[in-house]
Amino acid sequence: MSKEAEIRVCKNKECQKVLPAGYKHKYCEACRNKHAETAKNVLKGLGAGAATVAVVVVTGGKINPKK
């Protein structure tokens, strides 16, 4: 008796694309790319926020742009 190949689908509830046989990831390529882009944008935002806090801490909040 041979095993039937099980059909795997993307774990994203909105996507549900059928994954090819032997595909090693749980999510399809499009969903993985969306997740990576979102993570990259979040890290960019956190980096900009951290840089602002660092400038304020280093200068002691004494930057006055109106001068």
Side-chain angles (χ1 to χ4, degrees):
M1 295 195 171
S2 65
K3 281 187 174 179
E4 287 187 34
E6 63 182 65
I7 297 173
R8 293 180 51 218
V9 294
C10 179
K11 295 292 183 181
N12 185 347
K13 292 179 183 178
E14 297 171 2
C15 178
Q16 298 293 305
K17 288 181 187 172
V18 176
L19 300 174
Y23 192 71
K24 63 181 181 178
H25 302 288
K26 292 181 182 181
Y27 295 92
C28 70
E29 194 68 27
C31 292
R32 291 177 64 228
N33 289 336
K34 279 185 213 172
H35 180 75
E37 187 68 30
T38 302
K40 186 169 77 172
N41 290 338
V42 167
L43 289 175
K44 278 184 185 177
L46 290 176
T52 302
V53 170
V55 167
V56 171
V57 169
V58 169
T59 62
K62 295 180 180 176
I63 296 176
N64 190 354
K66 295 182 180 179
K67 280 189 173 180

